[in-house]
C-alpha cells in the first residue's frame, strides 16, 4: 500500500472531451485533451490539493493561463475545474493523506503498545470517490488558430475565444 501511483480517471464524454468551468463567468464548455494532457491533468489536480499551503505566486507562470471561450477573461490553468471535479480531486487527495497517516503514524503508535502500556489509534476513514458520468451535450467548435477542438453551448452566438491562445473567433 505504499505505492502512491494512483490510477485515477476523470469522466469524459463519448468523444473524449473534458468539462471545464470558467472561474469568472461560471459558464461551462469542454476541451479535447491530448493523450499527454490527460495523465498530466489528473496528477496536477491532485497535487494542487496535496500542497495546499504552498501558494503559487501569480506572475511566475503566466504562460499557464487559459482564456474563457465565452467571456474572454484569462485565469490560471488550475482554475477551470467544475465544482464536482474539484470535489472529486479533493476527496482523492484526502484519501491519499489518510493512507499515509494510517500506514505510518497509526502503525507506529500501535507498535508502541506492550503488555504494560496500551496505546490505541483510530485509522482515518476514507471517503468514497465518485463522479457523475459525463453527458454528451454541447457542440464542437474548431479552433483553427491552435488546431484544437472545444465544445461550447449550443445556443452561444457570440465571439468564441480560444481557450489555449485567446484568439477571438467571430461566429
Ligand atoms: Zn468566462
Ligand atoms: Zn488558439
Amino acid at each position: 500500500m505504499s505505492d502512491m501511483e494512483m490510477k485515477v480517471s476523470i469522466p469524459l464524454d463519448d468523444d473524449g472531451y473534458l468539462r471545464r468551468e470558467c472561474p469568472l463567468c461560471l459558464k461551462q464548455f469542454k476541451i479535447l485533451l491530448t493523450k499527454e494532457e490527460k495523465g498530466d491533468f489528473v496528477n496536477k489536480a491532485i497535487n494542487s490539493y496535496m500542497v495546499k499551503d504552498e501558494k503559487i505566486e501569480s506572475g511566475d507562470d503566466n504562460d499557464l493561463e487559459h482564456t474563457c471561450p465565452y467571456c474572454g477573461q484569462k485565469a490560471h490553468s488550475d482554475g477551470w475545474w467544475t465544482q464536482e471535479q474539484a470535489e472529486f480531486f479533493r476527496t482523492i487527495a484526502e484519501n491519499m493523506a489518510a493512507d499515509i497517516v494510517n500506514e505510518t503514524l497509526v502503525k507506529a503508535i500501535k507498535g508502541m503498545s506492550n503488555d504494560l502500556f496500551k496505546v490505541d489509534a483510530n485509522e482515518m476513514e476514507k471517503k468514497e470517490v465518485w463522479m457523475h458520468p459525463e453527458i454528451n451535450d454541447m457542440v464542437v467548435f474548431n479552433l483553427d488558430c491552435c488546431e484544437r477542438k472545444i465544445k461550447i453551448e449550443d445556443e452561444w452566438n457570440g465571439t468564441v475565444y480560444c481557450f489555449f491562445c485567446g484568439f477571438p473567433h467571430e461566429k
Side-chain angles (χ1 to χ4, degrees):
M1 275 302 286
S2 57
D3 186 18
M4 291 298 288
E5 286 286 314
M6 273 185 59
K7 279 269 172 282
V8 180
S9 58
I10 186 158
L12 304 173
D13 73 11
D14 287 350
D15 300 322
Y17 284 74
L18 173 72
R19 186 174 290 271
R20 318 258 57 198
E21 185 179 288
C22 173
L24 302 153
C25 69
L26 304 180
K27 283 175 92 66
Q28 294 191 343
F29 56 97
K30 294 179 186 175
I31 58 169
L32 186 59
L33 296 176
T34 63
K35 266 213 179 87
E36 302 83 70
E37 280 172 341
K38 267 183 211 166
D40 241 37
F41 255 72
V42 170
N43 289 335
K44 265 193 205 152
I46 294 171
N47 285 337
S48 74
Y49 287 104
M50 295 294 274
V51 289
K52 254 185 220 127
D53 298 334
E54 284 173 40
K55 285 264 178 294
I56 300 160
E57 296 293 326
S58 56
D60 281 4
D61 39 16
N62 275 333
D63 54 334
L64 286 172
E65 282 196 328
H66 288 310
T67 304
C68 173
Y70 305 110
C71 71
Q73 303 238 54
K74 285 183 193 296
H76 191 268
S77 59
D78 288 340
W80 300 86
W81 299 106
T82 67
Q83 301 261 325
E84 195 184 16
Q85 288 166 343
E87 188 59 41
F88 178 77
F89 288 121
R90 197 177 300 125
T91 307
I92 292 169
E94 282 170 6
N95 283 348
M96 287 168 86
D99 271 344
I100 295 167
V101 171
N102 293 343
E103 283 295 305
T104 56
L105 205 60
V106 174
K107 249 188 198 164
I109 292 170
K110 284 184 171 168
M112 296 192 307
S113 289
N114 55 40
D115 292 342
L116 300 169
F117 182 64
K118 187 104 190 104
V119 205
D120 209 0
N122 291 326
E123 298 213 336
M124 276 178 78
E125 269 182 49
K126 297 211 283 176
K127 290 187 207 155
E128 200 184 332
V129 181
W130 189 81
M131 233 183 107
H132 285 94
E134 185 56 66
I135 51 167
N136 294 308
D137 60 348
M138 305 193 190
V139 288
V140 175
F141 188 89
N142 289 308
L143 298 166
D144 296 331
C145 50
C146 293
E147 294 183 351
R148 299 284 301 252
K149 289 170 189 242
I150 57 171
K151 281 188 183 177
I152 56 167
E153 290 175 356
D154 307 50
E155 63 270 21
W156 182 256
N157 286 316
T159 302
V160 177
Y161 297 89
C162 176
F163 180 68
F164 306 96
C165 75
F167 184 87
H169 295 262
E170 307 296 336
K171 222 185 162 186

